[in-house]
Amino acid sequence: MKLFGGIESGGTKFVCMIGDGPDHLLKEERFPTTLPHETIDRVAGFFLPYAESGELAAVGIASFGPLDLNPESPTYGYITTTPKAGWSQVNLHGEIQRRLHVPVALDTDVNAAAFGEQYWIPENRFLDPFLYLTVGTGIGVGVIVNGSPLHGLIHAEAGHFALPHNWQKDPFPGVCPYHGDCLEGLASGVAMSKRWGQSPECLPDSHPAWDLESDYIAFALADLIYAYSPKRIILGGGVSQHPGFHQTVRRKVNQFMNGYVQSSLLSDRIDEYILPPALGHRSGGLGAIAMASLMQPAGEVLADQSH
Amino acid sequence: MKLFGGIESGGTKFVCMIGDGPDHLLKEERFPTTLPHETIDRVAGFFLPYAESGELAAVGIASFGPLDLNPESPTYGYITTTPKAGWSQVNLHGEIQRRLHVPVALDTDVNAAAFGEQYWIPENRFLDPFLYLTVGTGIGVGVIVNGSPLHGLIHAEAGHFALPHNWQKDPFPGVCPYHGDCLEGLASGVAMSKRWGQSPECLPDSHPAWDLESDYIAFALADLIYAYSPKRIILGGGVSQHPGFHQTVRRKVNQFMNGYVQSSLLSDRIDEYILPPALGHRSGGLGAIAMASLMQPAGEVLADQSH
């Protein structure tokens, strides 16, 4: 039997899983992100028994970034310029491949999450463009368009959109070290904690934080709809799990767009258009497993390259 | 010899051209957009001699919108909900095909312009994602990504991005009938004319209009870079032709992005990254000719469908 590994590499924790799909996960482990060599040792330790037995066919990585995803770049597979101490210029892809000797697929955590939701959930399978917006500690967007994840110069960084910021209503200057009051600067979990002095999960339903937060996320969703004209958007991440958040945001998206994009999906069926992740918190890891399962064995890749 | 037709269908004028590429245009004609049947009569009149002689192999249309581009929709090829009097629910694609009896390709004016610049200019050919941003009477964005134009639910409408609007600096409420102060509402040629009481081409270099305009367009470009991670952006349209506009906007893009996306294309070679259209005002029409040239003859399409 062939098994595939999925690694979700985050700024605060790593998750490793092995199996061949959402209904067949043999083992899952999560541990804090410490120094690179230490963390990668634990990843290798998790998979090594399956690699040595020959069951592990390939591994996928869903990683925080920014990442170098240009296959022709000498630093392909590196985490590039992260503020996370010790993790700048770490060759994540190369190190995992060197330890496990299996093909390794790599994409951003959010592209992998989009891919996982699209690949494993039959109703999502042919929806293209397909988006995953995560609102958690940070904000990120994964995009599948015209059949493939969006890469390009680097990859989508729509968490850093410049948004309307009403300084009268919200005098908070934002927390993004690059832009101050971009989307992530105003509406990430970190921004909420800093603005209100308590973390989002402690803010009660009646707190004005939630009205403001749903404004920003609805503006972001409207911009994402204008940008990609998606067939479906998955809205995930810890902050989005606040009770009633999806309903409020859906209503405000229609309010802000004001009928400009005419589609019954928006006007009548927006609860089928903006949805929580069907795979829960495993979208990224299961997306990584899907990416791994689509890789050719190393031998075949080499054979193809020799033509 | 095979000839292809290109139609640029705009809210104020139509342009028809025939030939087989930028270096070989036999004839070009422009006329005002009046009522649909009258305008489409003139289009048909332009191409009919070539259709009757059998030289016209196919026609491409680069049209204003919104358009129904879903090939499975009963209203495929219609202009849907335009404020342009008489043009709502006009079956542009069907009418042209009915008159000329040749295969007809259709896309948005901006997708066609992006396609034209990418297809006919060798240096652009393999740059993907590839964007065309037009700043003229209106604002629109064309996107080629993962090998094809972006369509999806409808098509990109990034001209309607919600942007930072500093009401102290710019108390103008915007002109977009749907959103007021979205990108197009604040920064289109129409917005400039209304805000300053004279049309953009009459505003002197020293007028504060240009500082404000370049702010909005630079914010828009930064958002487009975050959204699509493009390999190149063509910045066209009448307003963008103001002397020095490209230079100012390039500088401000780097200023607003503040080094977040690390690429030498942005930091050192932004004049190779954000460029005026190489095809001048013919990007859309020549894009339409490129689209037409890639269509299969009607006979072959029918044969394929019979399998």
Side-chain angles (χ1 to χ4, degrees), chain A residues 81 129 145-146 148 150-157 160-162 178-179 223 226-229 256-258 260 262, chain B residues 81 129 145-146 148 150-157 160-162 178-179 223 226-229 256-258 260 262:
Chain A
T81 52
V145 53
N146 288 331
S148 310
L150 191 152
H151 291 151
L153 191 62
I154 50 160
H155 42 71
E157 281 290 358
H160 292 266
F161 271 165
Y178 293 91
H179 313 114
D223 278 359
Y226 292 134
Y228 304 108
S229 210
F256 295 165
M257 293 182 67
N258 197 22
Y260 182 71
Q262 298 222 337
Chain B
T81 53
V145 52
N146 288 332
S148 308
L150 190 151
H151 292 151
L153 191 61
I154 50 159
H155 42 70
E157 281 289 359
H160 291 267
F161 270 166
Y178 292 90
H179 314 114
D223 278 358
Y226 292 134
Y228 305 108
S229 210
F256 295 166
M257 294 182 66
N258 197 23
Y260 182 71
Q262 297 222 338

Side-chain angles (χ1 to χ4, degrees), chain A residues 178-201:
Chain A
Y178 293 91
H179 313 114
D181 65 345
C182 67
L183 169 57
E184 181 167 279
L186 288 173
S188 64
V190 171
M192 292 182 82
S193 300
K194 188 126 188 227
R195 184 191 283 108
W196 305 109
Q198 46 192 323
S199 73
E201 54 268 39

Side-chain angles (χ1 to χ4, degrees), chain B residues 44-58:
Chain B
F46 177 91
F47 290 110
L48 220 45
Y50 304 98
E52 283 167 350
S53 72
E55 292 163 288
L56 186 69

